[in-house]
Amino acid sequence: MTKSLSRLAAPGLLLALSACAATPERGAFLSSYDGLEARTDMVRAGALDRTDAEALGAIRRVAIAPAVFAPADGAKLWMTPQEQARVLREVDAQLCFALSERFEIASAAPADAQVRAAVTDVRPTGRAGSAAAAAAAFFIPGPIGLRAPGPLGGLSAEAEMLDPAGEQVAAIVWSRSATAVGTDNPSLSRIGDALQFAEPFADAAAAAMTPEDREPRDLGAGDDPCAEYGPRFRPEG
């Protein structure tokens, strides 16, 4: 009986985990959407990206522009100013963390390229279902969680790297929604899902902007260009 139930549950679990991996819609932020191709190696997120490997090979130092909402009046209408600021700051932080492992981060000096990003959609987390999931996880810990019925949050974002002439050398359109069954952390905040998805977005964006043969940078304890955002590793999630 147990084995039969496991076999029946497995396809449903995989379907739930991959249900949010649909190809994301293109927005109106990137300087160009030409050449974007669907990523096929993502399970829980959907992405389109393009990479000019030859141009990226010469880039060592990048500047990161503050993230914005685009369209300006679309994704943020239901959020308070404080919630909007938290989402943008988390995107800024995660992009800085991910890119600094691959490039030198320029603050004021000239850079080889600029990275710009926009949040194109934020879907609110249903507090009731997320709270119930958090309570259940406390009493029944495990790697897979179950959300009670209710809205599932999400994040859609875009990013590109531009050379000094303004030419696009890499770009990504990315989207992810929480799943009813999976490993997404439940949150009592209605922007909780969006905040936790800033990290996988930044990882995917940095990967699209990095040559395959680029060695990771060794960041010293006292030489973190992203120190203003706090610790890179947060045990609380």
Side-chain angles (χ1 to χ4, degrees), residues 5-226:
L5 289 175
S6 299
R7 290 171 181 170
L8 290 172
L13 174 59
L14 292 176
L15 179 61
L17 289 174
S18 60
C20 59
T23 302
E25 295 184 6
R26 304 182 187 194
F29 173 75
L30 300 182
S31 59
S32 173
Y33 290 84
D34 294 340
L36 290 175
E37 296 183 354
R39 291 280 297 271
T40 59
D41 58 343
M42 295 185 176
V43 175
R44 291 177 291 176
L48 303 165
D49 68 9
R50 69 170 291 266
T51 297
D52 184 337
E54 183 176 355
L56 283 175
I59 295 174
R60 293 289 186 274
R61 183 177 174 85
V62 303
I64 305 173
V68 298
F69 284 101
D73 295 328
K76 65 179 184 179
L77 286 179
W78 58 271
M79 289 183 284
T80 66
Q82 292 77 16
E83 289 172 328
Q84 295 171 27
R86 284 191 65 194
V87 170
L88 292 181
R89 181 174 175 80
E90 188 63 18
V91 171
D92 287 340
Q94 296 301 333
L95 278 173
C96 187
F97 294 155
L99 289 168
S100 64
E101 295 174 355
R102 299 160 167 89
F103 302 94
E104 182 181 351
I105 303 300
S107 53
D112 300 325
Q114 181 189 58
V115 174
R116 54 194 294 267
V119 174
T120 57
D121 190 26
V122 178
R123 296 171 290 283
T125 302
R127 293 181 177 180
S130 193
F138 178 80
F139 292 105
I140 311 174
I144 303 298
L146 176 65
R147 295 266 186 109
L152 297 171
L155 176 73
S156 296
E158 301 180 358
E160 65 181 355
M161 179 180 283
L162 304 173
D163 68 13
E167 294 295 323
Q168 185 187 85
V169 296
I172 186 168
V173 176
W174 185 95
S175 184
R176 177 170 167 180
S177 294
T179 55
V181 179
T183 58
D184 300 328
N185 294 324
S187 172
L188 297 180
S189 168
R190 60 181 186 166
I191 59 171
D193 286 319
L195 290 176
Q196 69 173 307
F197 294 158
E199 181 178 3
F201 161 66
D203 287 341
M209 299 173 182
T210 306
E212 292 184 0
D213 59 351
R214 180 67 54 86
E215 293 292 332
R217 298 180 68 241
D218 183 17
L219 295 173
D223 188 32
D224 190 347
C226 310

